[in-house]
Amino acid sequence: YQENVSITDNGRDIQTQSIQYGFQPLIGINTNFAEELLDGTLNASLRWSTQTTFQINSAAGSTISKQSTNEITAQAEYTMNGFEFPLFGIMLKNDLSWIALFTFKDNARATYDVLDRSSFTGENEDGRTLDGNIQIIAEPRIRYSISNRLTASFFVRYEGTFTEGAAQPGFNTVQVGFDLRISIAGGR
């Protein structure tokens, strides 16, 4: 709970009051699977966070504003470590990883008019929607490593924002990338 107050010769005047509650994470799950079961390691996590704020401003009269955010993030990584194959007569140790990331975030802003019962009952139980957006991120990635000397990864990343009731339209982007790293070490 937070309030802003103006104290003058005429007394105490409340400017704004706000209540905020949330959980980060509301639910969080981390799992790890043994290497013997899957010929590699599998790590996965899932998080759900939520936050809501109600605010009343004396300048807005009888209107209460609501800002809410829900975010779900899932990530999984499967890695096969140390499998070998010969190349030019040399036995190389290889690692192969598949990684997936997914995020869904919902932001919404609404108002309630205390003097107008229809603004918070029936179809408007969650208030009158002002604006909001939904953000989606999805990224699969594959990474290959040879004897810790050469690492290559390839990924595709999608990001989309879809708006509701806002003046600005939504957008989306797709990124495709390839990353190559070579480690060279030598001595005398």
Side-chain angles (χ1 to χ4, degrees), residues 33-168:
F33 294 94
E35 191 168 345
E36 296 81 30
L37 294 174
L38 304 171
D39 292 332
T41 57
L42 176 62
N43 300 320
S45 66
L46 176 67
R47 291 176 49 101
W48 175 24
S49 301
T50 180
Q51 182 173 321
T52 303
T53 304
F54 291 95
Q55 183 173 12
I56 188 164
N57 187 336
S58 63
S62 63
T63 304
I64 298 172
S65 63
K66 174 186 172 186
Q67 173 78 37
S68 63
T69 302
N70 287 299
E71 182 174 1
I72 297 171
T73 302
Q75 185 169 358
E77 179 175 358
Y78 174 72
T79 304
M80 293 173 54
N81 288 323
F83 65 93
E84 297 180 351
F85 77 85
L87 181 66
F88 304 120
I90 301 171
M91 191 61 80
L92 299 173
K93 291 192 176 193
N94 302 280
D95 298 333
L96 184 63
S97 299
W98 290 276
I99 304 163
L101 168 69
F102 179 78
T103 300
F104 175 87
K105 188 173 183 180
D106 179 18
N107 297 301
R109 209 165 53 107
T111 61
Y112 303 88
D113 187 347
V114 177
L115 301 177
D116 181 6
R117 186 170 174 82
S118 68
S119 77
F120 56 87
T121 57
E123 291 180 8
N124 293 325
E125 189 174 284
D126 291 327
R128 290 186 177 146
T129 301
L130 292 177
D131 60 16
N133 64 47
I134 293 174
Q135 298 170 334
I136 296 174
I137 298 172
E139 180 180 334
R141 177 183 294 259
I142 189 166
R143 184 173 47 223
Y144 182 70
S145 178
I146 300 175
S147 294
N148 295 326
R149 298 287 184 212
L150 173 67
T151 302
S153 65
F154 176 76
F155 70 91
V156 177
R157 181 179 176 96
Y158 170 83
E159 290 186 46
T161 299
F162 308 94
T163 60
E164 176 184 2
Q168 297 179 1

Side-chain angles (χ1 to χ4, degrees), residues 158-179:
Y158 170 83
E159 290 186 46
T161 299
F162 308 94
T163 60
E164 176 184 2
Q168 297 179 1
F171 65 92
N172 60 41
T173 61
V174 176
Q175 299 174 8
V176 177
F178 180 73
D179 185 22

